[in-house]
Amino acid sequence: MSEPLVEFDDVLTRYEPVIGLETHVELGTESKMFCGCTTAFGAEPNTQTCPVCLGLPGSLPVANAAAVESTIRIGLALGCRIASWSRFARKNYFYPDIPKGFQTSQYDEPLCTAGHLDVEVDGETYRVEIERVHLEEDTGKNLHVGGATGRIHGAEYSLVDFNRAGIPLVEIVTRPVAGAGAKAPEVARAYVTELREIIQTLGASDVRMEQGSLRCDVNTSLAPVGSLEWGTRTETKNVNSLRSVERAVRYEMRRQAAVLDAGGRIVQETRHFHEDTGSTSPGRSKEEATDYRYFPEPDLVPLAPDAEWVEKLAAGLPELPAARRARLREEWGLSATEMAWLVNAGALGVVEGTVAAGASPADARKWWLGELARRANDAGVELTALPVTPRQVAELSALVAEGTVNDQLARQALDGVLAGEGDPRAVVESRGLAVLGESDELVAAVDVAIAGAPDVVAKVQGGKVQALGALVGAVMKATRGKADAATVRRMLEERVLGS
Amino acid sequence: MSDLTALTAVELQAALAAGETSSVEVTRAHLDRIAAEDGALGAFLHVTADAALARAAEVDASGTAGTGLAGIPVALKDVFVTEGVPTTSGSRILEGWRPPYSATVASRLADAGTVLLGKTNMDEFAMGSSTENSAYAVTRNPWDHDRIPGGSSGGSSAAVAGRLAPLALGTDTGGSIRQPAAVTGLVGHKPTYGSVSRYGLIAFSSSLDQAGPMARTVLDAALLHEAIGGHDPRDSTSIDAPVPTVVEAARRGAGGDLSGLRVGVVRELGGEGAREGYEQGVLDRFAEGVALLEAAGAQVREVSCPSFGLALPAYYLIAPSEASSNLARFEGMRFGIRVGDDGSHDVDEVMALTREQGFGPEVKRRIILGTYALSAGYYEAYYGQAQKVRTLISRDFSAAYDDVDVLVSPTSPTVAWPIGARVEDPLAMYAADLCTLPASLAGVPAISVPCGLSDGLPVGLQVMAPALADDRCYRVAAAVEAALGAPLTDRLLERAA
């Protein structure tokens, strides 16, 4: 796919981007949206199905109350108005992964409307307006067998797994976001990041993009700078990581600018994002799109959330990520930039846990953003995937603070923890990592160092006190780092300078 | 015992309870009659003979026969899903399908100890008024084999009127229980929408479909109604309310005293100025039926429901719209037939070919009609407008029920017509539902009870009541039945003798 692209910075000299996001979140309810089947991920195909989610003749849906509750909580967290009367609607179209020939969704009477989410990029706040949050059911999953691409074209045959069919899906639709300019790709990413964190905080979904429990469609359009009208948008599907959200917007901006520069016009269409190249390619054109013939679902009674119940749900919301960040920033005395690093590193939760387990905020940050970030990077895993708990990190920090180990020994203790040898204190014990006091062993090591370097001793005695460092190094080496450097220096000074 | 197939369910119940017969004997008698008569009648699509006898033996062994409906055979319209038993909804597209589950009403009947005789013929997907739209067989009216048994529950009406089964379940979307009951001399009741579970009823029009009983007497129908009614958590539209005490109402009505009951005769359904399409014989029998109500002490007055005249066009927008969506699942992917899967067609073509060959012309007509009515740009003018008419009809009912307790009308404008007479004229076929559509659109209960013969063919009187007041329907119907002296179908017995 080699389409002409305009340099990103160049795009912005002539065009203003407008973005919009449609995010689908699979709710973490025990059972599916309209039947009692389990929603567990990864089971053998078609083992989690029943007459309802297979769309067998005669079967009827019954709405999952827990899913309705989750949707309302998401709506509340996004500052939405919660409808007092809402209906499901049928979205009619034929596809093998749609068992009923329609998807039960919501159309003109969604559960939540008119909310917003503020996101921060480089210290600036952008308000993303939320148009609606509605509830629907997921489709089955097609598996195209044969052919090179795994897509339907060129496949020999296709199989359908209905385990996913009927899993409750919340769709969160933004209003068009204009005015972000060069930051548009980052705003898109920041929005999805923040949304993901909110939903995680609510416990409504595990929001794992790689498993598809959070999926993003990204709309992008360009308008000439100064134009009052927005351009034609494309909808990029299959954007399955935070990084991809940013890349997809960036790519579409560059591609569309090239089309417009060449005097072409943007076709309103669905495009597919390619993870490997970071590019998009055309899918089906919206101009020939199906008429979904929405109408109110007659098999389901309308939802009428009681105002008092909604108030109770609102009062029961947990502290949301933005409020939590503000509070922690205040408590820990961090600058906005320091906070941003912490958040971007995905370390906020573990640092908070480490502080809660007794470490100072500074030490906790130092550990997670320093040594542990390095280890995670080396191992190629997420910081939070390291086999060490915030409590263990706090213990490590305490061992240093109380002088039981020095920094170098602490890192060795961490090796042990990561290797599964137990808690830091136990590793210090079993590996014999504790700092040596003024023991006979240390006195002997100091004596050996002085005896082995008469020239250095002479220099020190001759006034070049900084030469003492070489002797400290020798002692540290002899004790394999187990000595406390300050103690060693004091002992050497006593012996060599007699002070 | 003499002919067990001549007995009503209530009589069979007594005989079973007294030990004068067994469920196996009763079941065998009906199976024998099916074997002898159904070749000519065409009431059944599938007879579960072996399973029925085994089930009857079980019930006999359990000692429960004669308690409630235990041990009594029933037939189910083929629209009800039955585990392991072929279920087609009268359509080629479901040929060979054996469902992995059972409809709630089928399970309730099984739990009550009834014996399933088999599945009865019907218009394909319940779309029709003559059962001629079945993909499988022509069903004949036991009163005259050259005439239709009504529809869409025509297999059930023919089976019960022809004494192939004492009881049967039908479904009614726009009149599909009441009209076949009327033209075969049976009692047929469409319950309040939401009072009988739709789970496992293959949907035609979700907001209208209701299952209900068909029987030779009002009391039999009431017994069957109580066995299937009541809340079902699997049906979101199911009403969580106690089953109306229709058996008691039927017994009370049979006493023949309707003093104090206010009866409204709907002018727009066969009254002054609204008689076009109504046969004189039907109007005469209906008038006599109303006179019987008056004689029983009811206060009769004429009532106007001006929006009822709009019921037909509204119904033929709403029902096809919902059907176009309900029938989308029949695309050959998971059940039923699949056409064109030979490696030379892609998935869209296989779906299209399957539907092309699997659906009959009336079903296609309604899918096209409904698809059009729901299309962008037409929705408001058609579906939206029809829903507003529906509201107007409901208001007419509410206003009428301020002044009267029940409304009455003929059930069908005509008696059973000759087979083939309306096949080429869908509008004439649709007109058969003229009187039954208002109650369907408003979701209120309505019963058809025989009120005599016209040229030797049965005529039905319809009694409509407010939602959840099904008992009133049964009470009034029982009074009509009592005044006429004997079940109308006894005339068929006399004729045979």
Side-chain angles (χ1 to χ4, degrees):
Chain A
M1 207 68 54
S2 60
E3 286 173 287
L5 300 175
V6 170
E7 282 306 316
F8 185 74
D9 290 339
D10 203 20
V11 173
L12 295 150
T13 61
R14 295 188 294 283
Y15 302 103
E16 177 62 35
V18 177
I19 54 170
L21 292 113
E22 289 172 27
T23 311
H24 286 93
V25 178
E26 276 185 3
L27 293 178
T29 50
E30 292 277 312
S31 58
K32 291 187 179 180
M33 187 59 229
F34 298 117
C35 63
C37 288
T38 172
T39 56
F41 180 80
E44 282 294 301
N46 296 312
T47 53
Q48 293 166 358
T49 58
C50 74
V52 176
C53 58
L54 285 176
L56 295 191
S59 65
L60 292 173
V62 176
N64 181 335
V68 173
E69 183 175 318
S70 278
T71 308
I72 292 176
R73 290 177 73 237
I74 291 171
L76 288 169
L78 294 172
C80 289
R81 202 177 62 77
I82 308 302
S84 57
W85 199 80
S86 165
R87 278 199 292 192
F88 287 100
R90 293 186 182 180
K91 180 181 181 179
N92 296 286
Y93 65 102
F94 286 103
Y95 208 64
D97 63 8
I98 293 274
K100 293 175 292 190
F102 58 84
Q103 181 190 28
T104 306
S105 180
Q106 296 199 277
Y107 182 51
D108 52 356
E109 298 158 300
L111 264 172
C112 321
T113 52
H116 62 86
L117 181 58
D118 290 335
V119 298
E120 217 169 280
V121 173
D122 294 342
E124 222 174 305
T125 302
Y126 296 85
R127 170 153 292 198
V128 178
E129 306 273 359
I130 307 289
E131 184 169 301
R132 57 191 280 144
V133 177
H134 79 238
L135 188 51
E136 60 186 30
E137 59 180 336
D138 210 343
T139 64
K141 218 170 182 171
N142 291 320
L143 180 68
H144 304 297
V145 182
T149 58
R151 290 187 189 276
I152 191 162
H153 297 292
E156 282 169 40
Y157 61 93
S158 301
L159 300 170
V160 190
D161 177 8
F162 288 103
N163 284 353
R164 197 181 69 176
I167 289 184
L169 210 54
V170 164
E171 182 172 337
I172 301 145
V173 183
T174 71
R175 292 178 54 81
V177 182
K183 300 284 191 222
E186 287 155 90
V187 169
R189 178 184 185 152
Y191 165 78
V192 181
T193 307
E194 185 70 9
L195 183 65
R196 183 166 163 251
E197 208 168 320
I198 287 175
I199 291 167
Q200 210 160 27
T201 303
L202 293 173
S205 166
D206 60 7
V207 285
R208 296 172 74 153
M209 292 185 87
E210 73 284 4
Q211 284 186 3
S213 60
L214 186 148
R215 309 196 284 270
C216 239
D217 301 340
V218 183
N219 295 332
T220 314
S221 69
L222 291 184
V225 169
S227 162
L228 292 176
E229 273 176 41
W230 289 341
T232 304
R233 68 189 161 86
T234 58
E235 183 179 358
T236 306
K237 298 219 175 238
N238 198 25
V239 188
N240 291 332
S241 73
L242 295 173
R243 184 166 161 261
S244 299
V245 170
E246 188 177 333
R247 289 169 84 206
V249 175
R250 198 175 291 274
Y251 182 87
E252 269 305 290
M253 284 171 65
R254 298 179 60 198
R255 185 190 67 83
Q256 290 184 20
V259 172
L260 294 171
D261 281 353
R265 95 193 159 88
I266 302 300
V267 184
Q268 183 169 345
E269 63 185 354
T270 298
R271 298 182 68 87
H272 294 289
F273 183 71
H274 304 284
E275 204 73 51
D276 45 352
T277 54
S279 63
T280 68
S281 65
R284 89 188 122 86
S285 165
K286 280 259 168 166
E287 282 166 328
E288 57 193 62
T290 17
D291 174 358
Y292 289 122
R293 291 175 286 120
Y294 281 101
F295 74 106
E297 164 60 281
D299 283 331
L300 288 164
V301 287
L303 299 170
D306 175 61
E308 221 169 284
W309 177 60
V310 172
E311 259 170 57
K312 231 173 84 186
L313 290 180
L317 289 184
E319 183 185 35
L320 296 175
R324 172 166 165 247
R325 283 196 303 270
R327 175 177 58 77
L328 293 177
R329 218 188 109 185
E330 168 96 22
E331 283 176 13
W332 298 347
L334 301 184
S335 71
T337 316
E338 287 170 322
M339 194 60 177
W341 284 346
L342 211 53
V343 171
N344 292 341
L348 192 64
V350 284
V351 169
E352 191 183 14
T354 307
V355 172
S360 73
D363 283 348
R365 278 172 55 227
K366 192 189 78 187
W367 273 105
W368 285 104
L369 293 183
E371 187 62 24
L372 287 161
R374 241 187 325 276
R375 306 275 185 133
N377 195 38
D378 291 347
V381 298
E382 294 275 320
L383 192 56
T384 49
L386 286 175
V388 58
T389 65
R391 189 188 53 74
Q392 289 171 323
V393 175
E395 192 174 308
L396 216 44
S397 170
L399 287 169
V400 176
E402 72 196 29
T404 306
V405 294
N406 56 23
D407 284 351
Q408 194 194 336
L409 289 170
R411 285 196 286 276
Q412 292 178 41
L414 178 62
D415 290 338
V417 173
L418 293 175
E421 294 168 23
D423 285 343
R425 219 171 269 283
V427 174
V428 166
E429 184 95 354
S430 62
R431 287 195 175 192
L433 296 176
V435 167
L436 290 175
E438 277 184 65
S439 59
D440 293 348
E441 188 188 346
L442 190 53
V443 172
V446 168
D447 288 345
V448 168
I450 290 171
D455 48 333
V456 178
V457 170
K459 267 188 199 166
V460 174
Q461 285 171 341
K464 291 192 77 178
V465 179
Q466 65 271 36
L468 200 65
L471 295 174
V472 174
V475 174
M476 295 304 287
K477 195 176 173 195
T479 57
R480 296 185 310 279
K482 285 196 288 182
D484 176 51
T487 309
V488 170
R489 177 173 291 272
R490 188 173 42 74
M491 288 169 71
L492 283 167
E493 281 171 358
E494 278 171 16
R495 297 296 179 90
V496 176
L497 299 172
S499 59
Chain B
M1 294 296 292
S2 53
D3 185 359
L4 289 167
T5 66
L7 302 184
T8 64
V10 173
E11 289 162 350
L12 288 171
Q13 191 182 45
L16 286 167
E20 292 161 15
T21 185
S22 67
S23 179
V24 168
E25 278 177 28
V26 172
T27 302
R28 198 183 303 276
H30 285 94
L31 290 172
D32 287 349
R33 187 159 169 83
I34 291 169
E37 301 290 327
D38 204 39
L41 218 48
F44 282 87
L45 287 177
H46 185 82
V47 179
T48 48
D50 294 343
L53 287 170
R55 175 75 180 138
E58 252 174 53
V59 176
D60 284 335
S62 74
T64 55
T67 341
L69 290 179
I72 296 175
V74 294
L76 293 185
K77 185 179 181 179
D78 206 28
V79 76
F80 296 104
V81 162
T82 40
E83 186 175 347
V85 178
T87 301
T88 66
S89 205
S91 181
R92 189 65 68 192
I93 209 160
L94 274 180
E95 193 166 8
W97 185 51
R98 286 175 188 261
Y101 78 108
S102 284
T104 295
V105 290
S107 301
R108 285 189 180 167
L109 286 180
D111 293 346
T114 65
V115 175
L116 177 65
L117 290 172
K119 309 292 289 291
T120 59
N121 197 15
M122 57 186 284
D123 284 301
E124 184 176 5
F125 286 107
M127 296 176 186
S129 305
S130 69
T131 311
E132 290 165 295
N133 292 333
S134 166
Y136 296 99
V138 173
T139 303
R140 294 170 186 280
N141 191 321
W143 293 82
D144 177 347
H145 283 199
D146 291 329
R147 288 176 188 266
I148 57 102
S152 64
S153 310
S156 286
S157 68
V160 178
R163 292 186 289 115
L164 275 53
L167 299 170
L169 280 192
T171 56
D172 190 312
T173 305
S176 283
I177 288 174
R178 291 163 285 164
Q179 182 260 10
V183 301
T184 57
L186 298 180
V187 177
H189 181 65
K190 180 199 89 74
T192 300
Y193 180 80
S195 69
V196 176
S197 170
R198 289 187 297 117
Y199 189 76
L201 185 174
I202 297 178
F204 161 19
S205 179
S206 306
S207 72
L208 296 160
D209 296 341
Q210 264 300 282
M214 302 175 80
R216 294 196 288 273
T217 68
V218 176
L219 190 53
D220 276 10
L223 280 171
L224 187 53
H225 184 148
E226 288 196 3
I228 59 169
H231 182 245
D232 178 10
R234 289 180 182 276
D235 176 357
S236 161
T237 62
S238 162
I239 299 168
D240 196 358
V243 186
T245 53
V246 294
V247 170
E248 191 196 308
R251 291 193 198 281
R252 185 168 161 223
D257 182 9
L258 296 179
S259 333
L261 188 86
R262 299 167 304 164
V263 175
V265 177
V266 183
R267 184 188 304 152
E268 285 75 11
L269 302 178
E272 199 72 58
R275 291 189 174 146
E276 200 193 320
Y278 288 80
E279 289 174 355
Q280 192 54 49
V282 167
L283 293 173
D284 291 346
R285 291 300 87 73
F286 173 67
E288 289 162 21
V290 172
L292 292 176
L293 296 176
E294 228 162 358
Q299 302 161 22
V300 178
R301 74 177 77 172
E302 194 180 62
V303 167
S304 176
C305 297
S307 300
F308 281 16
L310 300 172
L312 192 80
Y315 174 85
Y316 277 98
L317 287 169
I318 291 169
S321 293
E322 292 182 5
S324 71
S325 175
N326 282 332
L327 269 53
R329 71 189 61 196
F330 300 95
E331 22 74 318
M333 293 297 116
R334 283 147 297 128
F335 43 77
I337 64 165
R338 180 185 291 180
V339 180
D341 185 12
D342 53 10
S344 69
H345 300 284
D346 69 19
V347 66
D348 291 330
E349 290 164 351
V350 169
M351 287 183 178
L353 285 168
T354 300
R355 291 166 70 80
E356 163 66 32
Q357 293 187 30
F359 289 142
E362 182 61 26
V363 171
K364 286 178 187 161
R365 178 169 17 243
R366 297 202 197 187
I367 289 174
I368 291 167
L369 198 63
T371 302
Y372 184 76
L374 288 177
S375 296
Y378 298 98
Y379 178 91
E380 268 313 314
Y382 294 119
Y383 189 78
Q385 200 68 10
Q387 289 292 10
K388 285 177 191 154
V389 168
R390 197 170 181 176
T391 305
L392 292 179
I393 289 169
S394 288
R395 284 190 196 151
D396 277 0
F397 271 111
S398 298
Y401 290 137
D402 284 345
D403 299 326
V404 298
D405 300 307
V406 295
L407 292 171
V408 295
S409 76
T411 306
S412 166
T414 69
V415 294
W417 59 86
I419 287 170
R422 298 188 187 179
V423 169
E424 299 303 325
D425 187 355
L427 290 181
M429 189 77 90
Y430 296 173
D433 300 331
L434 221 49
C435 304
T436 48
L437 292 173
S440 294
L441 288 166
V444 300
I447 202 167
S448 179
V449 62
C451 64
L453 298 175
S454 167
D455 292 336
L457 293 167
V459 174
L461 181 147
Q462 176 176 233
V463 185
M464 297 167 274
L468 291 174
D470 298 60
D471 51 332
R472 290 187 205 169
C473 296
Y474 282 90
R475 183 181 166 209
V476 175
V480 172
E481 183 181 71
L484 283 174
L488 196 65
T489 42
D490 282 3
R491 312 267 185 99
L492 273 176
L493 272 175
E494 289 156 21
R495 239 169 47 178

